[in-house]
Amino acid sequence: MHRKIPALLVALGVSIAPCFTLPVLADSVVETIDTTAQIENATKEADKIEDQAKKLEEKVEKRVHKERLEDCKEINVLKVRDEKTIVPEDGPSVYPVLLKGLPDRPTVAVVLGGGGLRGTAHIGVLRELERNNIPIDMVVGTSIGSIIGGLYCAGTSPDKLESESPKRLIRAYYTSPLFFKVLLLPLKLLTFRNMTGMYKSNSMMRALNTFVPTSKLEISEYKPKFAAMSVDLLRGVPVAITDGNLGEALAASAAVPFLKRPIFTERGLMVDGGILRNIPVSPAKAMGAEFIIAVDINDNIKPMTKKHFQRKFGSITSRLVRLAQHDMESIELKQADVVIRPELSGIGMLSKKIKDSDRAVRAGEVATDNVMDDIKAKYKAACVPYQKGASQKLVQEQN
């Protein structure tokens, strides 16, 4: 009898266990069902919010597109190819004439080339030209050349450009560290984000507009005359921007591919002018310049070792771009009367060091001073035909 008691208890326990475990299991199942329902409801709500966001985005896009079409009809330079594509038809003149001949001397243009932070050398060049009373009737710039040139033509002195601009320009161009932007590239690729450029150009445009008073934002009113070189991707042509908002023109001229996103304006889809006209001498001539001083801030092509391409990220692409630019620059520079070449070795295009900026300014001054006698001699020679013409006219008037 005593031996049967344990077995009986085991049997009793097995029979009673479901009475305790079933309610627990039931509660667990109910909780699981509730959690699943909550997840499903949350998912549905998220889908609804996403749909509403998409509808709102589409609505905004349609409204912006409609406004763009209305603007296009007013300015009569664009046409609609389909519902979503706007392309330039003829567009504004690629190189509008800015300067008319003067009676007593040739019109003078200073052409400022592109090259990143190295371009602060242009500040030193402009300062030395002013010190030596070299007349400047027009400034034509590309990328950093257009930024320095545009601010100068808007009335910013070289001294103020040197003391205030470098830090602000760096902040305006790099709104966040480049290192972080590179780290985010894989994530953007996975999420199919817009990868036409790592930085938005609109933020740079707004920042550049703060450099001058609001009354100085219309570039067609500048003296000296000013032109920012850019490239329209839709037509595949270089474009000289000579009117409109200063910030937009400068941002379009400095929208370096893959680094800055293109800017869509009434002129087209605009990117950095350095692609086709990094030192825009021929555009300056087309716009009326008769005596041209060009500033080349890029290094000459030098041999490189194999190790350079093995260790440095992006070195092959950089080399290819520089080779292509060098050939185009050579053609442009042959048309200039004087070429100024500051010594800028060791200063990278993407440098953000203020000491590099300061050294570039000094290099611009030294290089300009070194060729000042040549500038004055050639300019004096260029003035001779005008003086002869004035003398002949005076004789005719006296007779």
Side-chain angles (χ1 to χ4, degrees):
M1 181 68 182
H2 294 290
R3 292 178 182 178
K4 293 182 179 180
I5 290 175
L8 183 63
L9 291 173
V10 170
L12 184 63
V14 171
S15 63
I16 295 174
C19 298
F20 293 101
T21 56
L22 283 176
V24 174
L25 288 172
D27 290 342
S28 177
V29 170
V30 170
E31 288 178 4
T32 303
I33 293 171
D34 290 343
T35 304
T36 304
Q38 289 173 0
I39 293 172
E40 289 178 355
N41 290 334
T43 304
K44 288 179 181 178
E45 289 296 322
D47 291 339
K48 285 181 182 179
I49 293 171
E50 188 176 353
D51 291 339
Q52 290 174 356
K54 285 182 179 179
K55 288 178 181 179
L56 181 60
E57 187 178 353
E58 289 175 359
K59 190 176 180 181
V60 171
E61 284 183 358
K62 286 180 180 179
R63 184 173 179 179
V64 171
H65 186 72
K66 185 178 180 182
E67 291 175 356
R68 174 69 71 179
L69 293 179
E70 290 173 356
D71 291 341
C72 295
K73 291 175 183 177
E74 289 179 7
I75 60 178
N76 197 29
V77 297
L78 303 177
K79 66 177 181 179
V80 181
R81 181 175 287 172
D82 54 45
E83 290 184 358
K84 292 186 178 180
T85 306
I86 304 174
V87 296
E89 188 172 25
D90 297 319
S93 175
V94 177
Y95 299 143
V97 177
L98 290 184
L99 299 177
K100 295 181 180 179
L102 299 173
D104 57 340
R105 65 173 179 82
T107 51
V108 180
V110 178
V111 174
L112 307 177
L117 189 73
R118 301 160 68 94
T120 53
H122 297 319
I123 298 172
V125 172
L126 293 169
R127 179 186 284 138
E128 282 301 303
L129 293 176
E130 279 191 356
R131 283 176 181 169
N132 288 272
N133 299 315
I134 303 299
I136 301 175
D137 301 301
M138 176 170 65
V139 176
V140 184
T142 295
S143 201
I144 184 63
S146 72
I147 292 174
I148 299 298
L151 296 176
Y152 175 77
C153 291
T156 310
S157 68
D159 290 343
K160 189 173 181 180
L161 281 171
E162 181 183 7
S163 63
E164 296 183 8
S165 296
K167 288 182 181 179
R168 293 179 65 188
L169 286 175
I170 291 169
R171 286 198 299 267
Y173 202 88
Y174 300 100
T175 52
S176 60
L178 181 59
F179 176 73
F180 292 147
K181 290 288 184 180
V182 173
L183 288 179
L184 289 172
L185 281 177
L187 179 61
K188 289 186 176 182
L189 289 171
L190 288 172
T191 54
F192 302 99
R193 296 286 298 277
N194 187 343
M195 278 307 301
T196 53
M198 287 188 282
Y199 292 93
K200 294 180 180 179
S201 293
N202 288 339
S203 56
M204 181 183 176
M205 177 178 69
R206 290 191 294 269
L208 288 170
N209 276 334
T210 65
F211 279 67
V212 299
T214 52
S215 59
K216 292 280 189 177
L217 292 178
E218 176 50 56
I219 63 179
S220 62
E221 299 174 357
Y222 291 172
K223 287 185 180 180
K225 292 292 186 181
F226 172 67
M229 287 306 304
S230 186
V231 171
D232 174 18
L233 289 181
L234 301 182
R235 286 177 290 170
V237 296
V239 177
I241 304 174
T242 59
D243 59 7
N245 179 269
L246 174 66
E248 182 178 273
L250 302 187
S253 181
V256 178
F258 307 116
L259 195 60
K260 286 285 184 180
R261 295 180 188 176
I263 295 181
F264 186 49
T265 73
E266 62 188 39
R267 295 174 176 83
L269 191 62
M270 314 306 291
V271 295
D272 193 292
I275 295 173
L276 296 178
R277 295 292 183 274
N278 197 45
I279 308 177
V281 177
S282 57
K285 272 195 170 185
M287 289 184 282
E290 296 167 322
F291 187 85
I292 298 175
I293 301 168
V295 186
D296 178 9
I297 57 173
N298 287 310
D299 288 330
N300 291 325
I301 299 297
K302 298 177 182 177
M304 289 184 173
T305 63
K306 184 180 179 181
K307 290 182 180 179
H308 175 82
F309 298 102
Q310 291 175 334
R311 296 179 180 178
K312 196 172 181 181
F313 175 76
S315 57
I316 293 178
T317 302
S318 177
R319 181 70 163 176
L320 290 172
V321 171
R322 185 68 198 107
L323 289 171
Q325 274 189 339
H326 184 264
D327 282 349
M328 290 186 289
E329 289 169 359
S330 299
I331 296 170
E332 292 291 311
L333 290 173
K334 287 178 182 177
Q335 303 176 62
D337 294 279
V338 180
V339 179
I340 300 173
R341 291 186 172 92
E343 172 52 49
L344 300 168
S345 57
I347 301 178
M349 290 178 62
L350 299 180
S351 172
K352 295 187 284 185
K353 299 176 181 177
I354 298 301
K355 66 177 183 179
D356 284 348
S357 173
D358 294 339
R359 185 160 74 86
V361 174
R362 300 285 86 76
E365 291 178 339
V366 171
T368 307
D369 187 58
N370 289 341
V371 298
M372 187 52 66
D373 290 342
D374 191 33
I375 293 174
K376 289 180 177 179
K378 288 184 176 180
Y379 178 67
K380 185 178 180 181
C383 290
V384 170
Y386 293 85
Q387 294 168 353
K388 288 182 178 178
S391 299
Q392 292 173 356
K393 186 176 180 181
L394 181 60
V395 171
Q396 291 175 356
E397 288 176 355
Q398 289 177 347
N399 294 334

